[in-house]
Amino acid sequence: MHAFFSWSTDHDFSLFSNEHLVVLGTIVVMMILMFLFRNNLREHSLNFIFRIGIAIIILLSEASFHIWFIYHNEWDVAVGLPLQLSSISLFLAVFLVLTKNRSLFEITYFAGAGSAILAMLTPDLGVYGYPHFRFFHFFVAHGGIVIATWSMIIVEGFVPSYRSIWKAFFALNAYVTLIFILNITLNANYMFLMEKPLSNTLFAYLGPWPWYLLSLEGVAIVAFHLLYLPFTFSKWLNKTRRKISSFSS
């Protein structure tokens, strides 16, 4: 048990290892099950329990992370404040499932779920591979963000507009500006705005500082458009069906 919560380990995270692929597959399976049982999840009592359950799991994952830092006497304002994009997205996801706010959904879906998916594909976990606590915490937290936004789409029927992409993009940049100023004040590196992570993440392929910050802008725009693509296809499909229906009648 001590090894599970230890600060240093000899279990380096291995990108696309069996454990990594299994946990990604588990999240995909959960999303498929949500789609299959979406009508059941719309029932009032079950819907409430489901949304509360998502919120509690996400909040417990964040709380456990800070407890781990405190237990090892490593918590510091320069690293411990919940200011990383994943942490902010996590809280947005909690408010989203509790309030079902459509404006909040637009930002959480693109900026939150988009960044969570990229993070899960190339995690910054360093020496905290399976079966360490940080491995499980990382995927529960980021997977929870994706599940929360997916539930709003599949269960609640939320659909973003193309304008939502740019609302999320400018909201994200406004937040980045605030964090950049805070990083200078605290001599911190929240959101990796001052220095790239050393592990083999997406940052490794985006150039040196500060150019990788500009590269990330491009990545965000591309990722947001890819996230919007299924809705574009759905709208096109519905439009085609209506045309065929009008011709046949």
Side-chain angles (χ1 to χ4, degrees):
M1 183 61 71
H2 174 73
F4 181 76
F5 288 103
S6 63
W7 184 256
S8 60
T9 77
D10 55 0
H11 298 289
D12 289 2
F13 176 80
S14 179
L15 188 66
F16 300 129
S17 61
N18 289 337
E19 295 82 6
H20 186 197
L21 294 175
V22 166
V23 74
L24 291 177
T26 300
I27 294 171
V28 171
V29 169
M30 291 175 63
M31 294 171 69
I32 293 173
L33 290 174
M34 287 171 60
F35 175 78
L36 295 176
F37 293 97
R38 61 191 182 280
N39 290 329
N40 302 82
L41 293 173
R42 288 170 184 155
E43 296 177 4
H44 181 72
S45 56
L46 185 57
N47 182 277
F48 177 77
I49 294 171
F50 180 66
R51 290 186 293 110
I52 292 296
I54 292 176
I56 290 174
I57 291 172
I58 292 176
L59 287 174
L60 285 177
S61 73
E62 181 69 9
S64 68
F65 178 68
H66 291 280
I67 291 171
W68 178 67
F69 259 95
I70 294 170
Y71 176 79
H72 290 286
N73 296 315
E74 296 288 345
W75 198 98
D76 184 83
V77 292
V79 294
L81 293 175
L83 298 175
Q84 300 283 19
L85 183 56
S86 58
S87 294
I88 294 300
S89 298
L90 185 148
F91 290 118
L92 289 177
V94 169
F95 287 120
L96 175 62
V97 295
L98 294 180
T99 65
K100 299 183 183 181
N101 184 284
R102 290 185 179 272
S103 296
L104 194 58
F105 163 74
E106 295 174 316
I107 297 173
T108 310
Y109 175 65
F110 288 109
S115 64
I117 292 171
L118 290 175
M120 288 192 292
L121 290 175
T122 58
D124 176 34
L125 283 172
V127 298
Y128 301 116
Y130 178 88
H132 194 270
F133 155 75
R134 280 285 286 118
F135 176 90
F136 292 101
H137 158 265
F138 181 90
F139 287 103
V140 169
H142 289 81
I145 297 168
V146 174
I147 293 296
T149 52
W150 180 246
S151 71
M152 291 297 107
I153 296 168
I154 293 303
V155 180
E156 307 301 335
F158 284 14
V159 176
S161 65
Y162 184 74
R163 187 179 178 185
S164 303
I165 292 176
W166 300 107
K167 288 174 66 175
F169 182 75
F170 288 118
L172 177 60
N173 275 274
Y175 180 69
V176 165
T177 301
L178 292 174
I179 296 303
F180 187 84
I181 296 171
L182 190 63
N183 279 338
I184 295 174
T185 304
L186 298 177
N187 191 27
N189 189 31
Y190 289 110
M191 294 184 67
F192 304 113
L193 296 179
M194 319 307 288
E195 184 180 358
K196 293 195 297 185
L198 297 177
S199 53
N200 188 29
T201 64
L202 177 65
F203 288 84
Y205 307 97
L206 300 180
W209 190 94
W211 305 114
Y212 72 84
L213 299 179
L214 295 176
S215 299
L216 283 171
E217 295 278 3
V219 169
I221 292 174
V222 171
F224 289 6
H225 279 80
L226 288 175
L227 287 170
Y228 186 67
L229 195 58
F231 299 99
T232 302
F233 177 75
S234 178
K235 290 176 182 178
W236 174 83
L237 191 61
N238 290 333
K239 187 177 181 180
T240 302
R241 286 173 177 172
R242 286 195 297 267
K243 286 183 177 179
I244 295 173
S245 178
S246 64
F247 287 143
S248 60
S249 61

